Amino acid sequence: MSLTAALKEKVTAVAETKKIADLQRDIIKQENYLTSDLGVKVSDTDNWLKVSDGKTSGPSLLEDHIAREKIHRFDHERIPERVVHARGAGAHGYFKVHNDVAKKYTFAPVLTDPSRTTPTFVRFSTVQGSRGSADTVRDVRGFAVKFYTEEGNWDIVGNDIPVFFIQDAMKFPDIVHAVKPEPHNEVPTGQSAHNNFWDFAGLQPESAHMIMWVMSDRGIPRSYRMMQGFGVNTYTLINEKGERFFVKFHWLPELGVHSFVWDEALKICGQDPDFHRKDLEEAITNGAFPKWHFGIQAIPEAREHDFDFDILDATKVWPEELVPLEIVGEMVLNRTVDEYFPEVEQVAFCTSHVVPGIGFSDDPLLQGRNFSYFDTQVSRLGINWQELPINRPVCPVMNYQRDGKMRHKIHQGTINYWPNRAEQFRPVSPKDGGYAEYPEGVAGMKARMRGEKFKEHFNHAQLFYNSLAEYERQHLINAISFELSHCDDPVVYESYIKVLHNVDLNLAKQVKINVGGSDVDSKEPARDNHGKSTPTLSQLYYAPKEPTIKSRRIAILVADGFDLAQVEGLRAAIKAGMATSWIIGPRRGWIYPEDVDVGSKMRGVWADHHFEGQRSTLFDAFIVPDGRKSAETLAENGRTIHWIREAFGHCKAIGAIGEGVSFLREAVMLPGIEYNTKLDSDEVVTSFGVVTVGKVSTSTLAADTLKIAEGE
Ligand code: HDD
């Protein structure tokens, strides 16, 4: 029997929607014909129904319900973008715990049952830019994780930075208005470098710590796959004994934490605005599945006030020397989305989505967030947003919430209230898995205020700044100088330089010189820098345990007359390292090896791009293989020289073999690099994983020590 006939038979029988949907999907796969939204087969989707004498076309007819439906649907395709975090990318994956560490703190099976594999969906995002803005801007990155657990959906709606700009949720509309494009001219897009943002920041010193992070290299991550994730807020876990622990959540990338340099990030915004989105998709498609280790920091209730900062203050970190980070599990992203809009645009996260064993704290930022997310989903997606496939829990949903626009679920029976005579959908006691709030004791009077320790704003900003490597600090100074030089109101940059005096004197001085600030009057002496630091705040701390080129993009620069055997060897070594190799040449097309005439049947390699097509900014490293004629041709091409010099300035790993070395030395003349390292070709490739940062170039960028093969 044909599937269509089987469907007809099913329709008459009472069959769940799912079986019908599966059959429809099978038919679409099998039959593959065009229909209207209502399933009517369409004969012509190119011509509006008109009056015609057979030769000329007269008026189009409103009667054309097929054309009208198509235009109607088109007119209503756009929904409101997210009010922040509008620009994003997403992927599916899974979460597993690999020990019972968390058992001390919680009874939630998602964190304590190593036999489980919990499906997850992750959406990464920037904050300031609109849905169509560029990926590699300087900004905070959203890192939102939806766990489809057997006890319900759990969302950790985090960022790539462990703290936040503000302490109280009530300030969120203000900080967002200040950072978003200014109301009079809708400028800037995808940038914080403007008067309003820095005016607000100067007047809201609680933001100082977060601003250090955003202005550090953390603000320009190389990849969503190479950045940490943090839940930021203080949540709570409850164990089987009913004991409560304050907790912070951490995601640590297996690939380590890597950033662009600012010049590179700026250029990629123009050369490839979708860089991060493509990078995530390319890695998963190539099987280089990104992995993060999941860690928690936990503080027993009794120790809540043991610290010189308030553990409920989202502008503070919990230094790992004081509260150790315990690794509990891992998350792997192993499936790209099928369609962007229904999955990435429609996914909806809420900080208030927790499962039994996980709870909230009185963190004032979290409390406000718990209101905002559900509210914003309604305005973006409608009241039944949780029924959309990407938001639907995998466990049964049974309650008396009914109706509202776009309701999908169809209930049977007459009961839509509780209590009811049928005892249907009755509440579940905590001992049988019902969600129970922790019986926290609360007392006091109503007041608009913040805790005493919330009033200190610079200790942790200093801790972060002091913990950076020298070159990271220099990058931060350059970044703030870039930002404040885009503020043309002296009130703004003078006020922020005063704030910097409370973080570090040298920092304030260098920025002041760069942006034309005046000397801070002596009445307001800078606050002493306490000098404390901690290794876990520098991104260098997160270098991958094993050096790896996995998922990196490596260019091989060739022209006619290159060494084919060598290039094939390099490509094999790169592939074996789970990196990708790209042939860049003077043209896109066949590039012929040495001893072969151009245009002959014996082909060499197909160049993926010419030098104009893909700049060195889009690669992590490159190699110039042997081949005299190839090296000579490359040396004649000014675009190639610039291509290479730009890569060097961006601290890229550079490999060269044989004639490639002389080409670099004589034609490109890179300043002060070692040419005496004896590496053979596959060592050049693996050396990319061990590229060390050294003081080689005089520019402000610490250039990598370059591994150059001297001959074979
Ligand atoms: Fe938020 C979206 C992360 C503070 C209100 N937020 C949003 C997203 C992320 C974060 C990753 C995008 C989720 C997605 O991909 O769909 N937000 C944070 C973090 C914060 C934070 C880590 C500080 C700890 N947010 C914050 C506050 C409020 C909000 C204080 C409101 C009081 N956030 C929202 C929102 C958004 C949102 C307006 C806009 C789009 C959305 O919710 O779905 O509700």
Side-chain angles (χ1 to χ4, degrees):
M1 179 195 300
S2 84
L3 282 170
T4 313
L7 175 63
K8 282 203 186 84
E9 194 181 60
K10 283 277 174 224
V11 165
T12 48
V14 174
E16 302 88 58
T17 326
K18 178 143 170 31
K19 282 206 188 89
I20 290 178
D22 285 349
L23 278 170
Q24 282 170 326
R25 203 173 299 123
D26 292 346
I27 284 180
I28 287 170
K29 265 193 231 137
Q30 302 265 344
E31 310 278 343
N32 186 16
Y33 50 75
L34 183 65
T35 72
S36 73
D37 279 341
L38 288 313
V40 175
K41 288 179 184 169
V42 170
S43 58
D44 178 346
T45 186
D46 304 322
N47 302 290
W48 197 293
L49 185 66
K50 299 176 189 65
V51 175
S52 157
D53 57 6
K55 284 200 229 38
T56 55
S57 58
S60 300
L61 297 174
L62 205 52
E63 172 197 327
D64 185 349
H65 64 297
I66 305 276
R68 283 200 347 252
E69 177 194 90
K70 187 174 172 182
I71 301 297
H72 272 318
R73 290 298 313 279
F74 169 75
D75 292 344
H76 297 270
E77 279 180 356
R78 300 286 164 267
I79 64 170
E81 69 177 34
R82 290 168 173 81
V83 65
V84 280
H85 293 269
R87 169 77 186 181
H92 296 270
Y94 63 84
F95 174 78
K96 276 187 83 59
V97 286
H98 33 62
N99 58 40
D100 57 2
V101 161
K103 262 209 168 100
K104 300 196 285 289
Y105 308 122
T106 179
F107 60 80
V110 60
L111 289 177
T112 54
D113 179 356
S115 69
R116 277 199 184 188
T117 300
T118 302
T120 58
F121 186 79
V122 177
R123 183 173 181 274
F124 301 106
S125 49
T126 58
V127 178
Q128 196 271 3
S130 57
R131 187 179 157 192
S133 56
D135 280 343
T136 62
V137 297
R138 178 179 296 282
D139 198 348
V140 184
R141 289 319 186 275
F143 193 138
V145 183
K146 188 176 290 292
F147 299 77
Y148 302 92
T149 86
E150 292 167 35
E151 289 75 30
N153 287 358
W154 170 34
D155 293 347
I156 298 183
V157 194
N159 280 337
D160 69 331
I161 289 175
V163 292
F164 203 62
F165 293 104
I166 52 175
Q167 295 168 325
D168 188 313
M170 196 156 178
K171 294 308 294 168
F172 195 62
D174 299 305
I175 172 112
V176 172
H177 284 181
V179 73
K180 280 276 192 180
E182 300 197 358
H184 66 291
N185 61 3
E186 182 83 350
V187 169
T189 294
Q191 282 201 343
S192 49
H194 61 110
N195 284 328
N196 283 10
F197 175 67
W198 288 96
D199 180 31
F200 177 87
L203 297 167
Q204 195 79 11
E206 72 198 66
S207 61
H209 184 200
M210 174 77 164
I211 286 194
M212 292 297 121
W213 282 81
V214 185
M215 295 298 134
S216 77
D217 290 341
R218 304 298 189 116
I220 41 176
R222 155 66 182 79
S223 165
Y224 290 136
R225 303 173 292 113
M226 302 174 196
M227 63 184 203
Q228 283 174 277
F230 302 90
V232 184
N233 290 118
T234 301
Y235 284 84
T236 50
L237 295 177
I238 299 164
N239 66 16
E240 268 160 352
K241 289 184 235 152
E243 295 159 334
R244 182 170 77 145
F245 297 83
F246 295 103
V247 68
K248 287 223 186 228
F249 300 121
H250 294 246
W251 297 105
L252 297 107
E254 180 194 45
L255 287 172
V257 178
H258 301 275
S259 299
F260 290 123
V261 289
W262 181 226
D263 181 62
E264 190 182 10
L266 276 177
K267 287 174 177 164
I268 295 175
C269 278
Q271 291 164 354
D272 189 356
D274 305 298
F275 184 87
H276 281 156
R277 196 176 263 183
K278 290 157 74 174
D279 168 82
L280 178 66
E281 185 181 16
E282 186 178 277
I284 295 174
T285 308
N286 290 335
F289 299 145
K291 180 194 283 189
W292 286 263
H293 296 289
F294 181 69
I296 56 178
Q297 289 180 291
I299 298 175
E301 228 184 349
R303 289 194 57 214
E304 177 179 357
H305 302 294
D306 286 4
F307 305 88
D308 66 356
F309 58 88
D310 193 313
I311 65 167
L312 303 183
D313 176 353
T315 65
K316 306 294 189 307
V317 288
W318 294 358
E320 289 182 36
E321 296 79 20
L322 304 177
V323 188
L325 179 64
E326 299 175 81
I327 300 301
V328 172
E330 65 185 32
M331 175 171 67
V332 173
L333 296 183
N334 60 357
R335 183 160 66 88
T336 57
V337 297
D338 293 325
E339 189 178 5
Y340 184 86
F341 184 86
E343 295 178 82
V344 186
E345 198 56 22
Q346 291 198 136
V347 68
F349 297 91
C350 298
T351 49
S352 50
H353 285 173
V354 291
V355 294
I358 301 172
F360 310 120
S361 76
D362 295 339
D363 170 341
L365 197 71
L366 177 61
Q367 295 286 326
R369 293 182 74 193
N370 280 356
F371 165 73
S372 175
Y373 287 76
F374 197 104
D375 185 37
T376 203
Q377 308 314 354
V378 173
S379 77
R380 253 180 14 99
L381 302 164
I383 189 63
N384 285 305
W385 57 267
Q386 69 288 344
E387 290 195 306
L388 290 167
I390 190 70
N391 294 322
R392 215 178 286 157
V394 294
C395 55
V397 173
M398 295 176 278
N399 59 37
Y400 300 114
Q401 269 103 261
R402 289 284 190 279
D403 308 345
K405 273 189 193 157
M406 305 292 283
R407 181 80 195 175
H408 296 205
K409 199 175 175 81
I410 298 171
H411 287 272
Q412 287 161 335
T414 62
I415 306 282
N416 60 358
Y417 55 87
W418 173 267
N420 60 67
R421 60 191 181 287
E423 284 265 304
Q424 197 184 45
F425 300 168
R426 64 183 174 292
V428 185
S429 75
K431 68 175 175 41
D432 295 330
Y435 190 89
E437 280 67 24
Y438 179 77
E440 174 192 0
V442 285
M445 72 272 176
K446 290 180 186 170
R448 290 182 185 278
M449 49 76 75
R450 291 182 196 180
E452 208 37 47
K453 292 180 186 171
F454 277 69
K455 295 191 174 86
E456 195 289 315
H457 302 315
F458 298 109
N459 279 342
H460 283 204
Q462 290 187 357
L463 180 70
F464 175 72
Y465 183 76
N466 297 340
S467 304
L468 297 180
E470 186 44 45
Y471 83 87
E472 288 179 295
R473 272 190 223 158
Q474 189 54 52
H475 289 178
L476 186 151
I477 291 169
N478 296 349
I480 298 186
S481 303
F482 173 94
E483 298 278 322
L484 293 183
S485 65
H486 283 74
C487 301
D488 56 9
D489 183 341
V491 170
V492 169
Y493 55 81
E494 297 291 10
S495 125
Y496 205 75
I497 290 168
K498 278 204 190 87
V499 170
L500 293 177
H501 270 85
N502 292 303
V503 178
D504 179 78
L505 210 45
N506 177 51
L507 161 65
K509 266 196 191 132
Q510 289 216 22
V511 169
K512 184 191 65 176
I513 293 164
N514 292 343
V515 304
S518 46
D519 278 326
V520 177
D521 50 49
S522 53
K523 282 197 303 310
E524 301 196 25
R527 193 174 176 280
D528 286 344
N529 181 329
H530 53 53
K532 283 186 220 128
S533 67
T534 170
T536 59
L537 299 184
S538 160
Q539 70 178 42
L540 287 177
Y541 182 80
Y542 300 95
K545 301 281 171 285
E546 276 305 303
T548 173
I549 60 170
K550 184 176 171 189
S551 82
R552 293 307 187 127
R553 309 184 91 238
I554 299 175
I556 302 176
L557 275 54
V558 292
D560 297 322
F562 68 93
D563 181 325
L564 178 61
Q566 209 173 73
V567 167
E568 283 168 347
L570 287 169
R571 299 199 87 170
I574 290 168
K575 191 165 172 50
M578 289 201 81
T580 52
S581 63
W582 306 81
I583 302 288
I584 310 292
R587 61 186 181 275
R588 180 165 70 176
W590 291 108
I591 309 292
Y592 295 85
E594 52 196 354
D595 311 333
V596 169
D597 296 341
V598 174
S600 77
K601 288 255 179 307
M602 171 15 195
R603 289 170 171 169
V605 286
W606 178 268
D608 302 287
H609 295 281
H610 51 78
F611 286 105
E612 294 292 348
Q614 287 248 323
R615 309 294 173 85
S616 57
T617 44
L618 305 181
F619 299 98
D620 295 291
F622 73 87
I623 304 175
V624 185
D626 204 351
R628 190 182 43 73
K629 202 162 145 281
S630 169
E632 282 166 1
T633 308
L634 295 179
E636 286 153 15
N637 181 329
R639 170 51 73 203
T640 321
I641 309 289
H642 173 72
W643 201 99
I644 292 173
R645 285 195 177 143
E646 199 170 42
F648 175 73
H650 294 157
C651 301
K652 299 284 167 82
I654 298 177
I657 304 169
E659 291 294 336
V661 179
S662 16
F663 159 64
L664 287 183
R665 183 174 25 224
E666 283 128 41
V668 185
M669 292 180 275
L670 293 178
I673 55 175
E674 325 154 31
Y675 283 87
N676 53 6
T677 317
K678 278 222 171 298
L679 292 170
D680 61 31
S681 57
D682 57 359
E683 247 188 323
V684 168
V685 173
T686 45
S687 78
F688 290 139
V690 293
V691 166
T692 51
V693 177
K695 293 283 164 279
V696 175
S697 116
T698 50
S699 78
T700 49
L701 307 173
D704 298 332
T705 307
L706 304 163
K707 304 284 180 194
I708 304 291
E710 184 72 66
E712 263 294 69

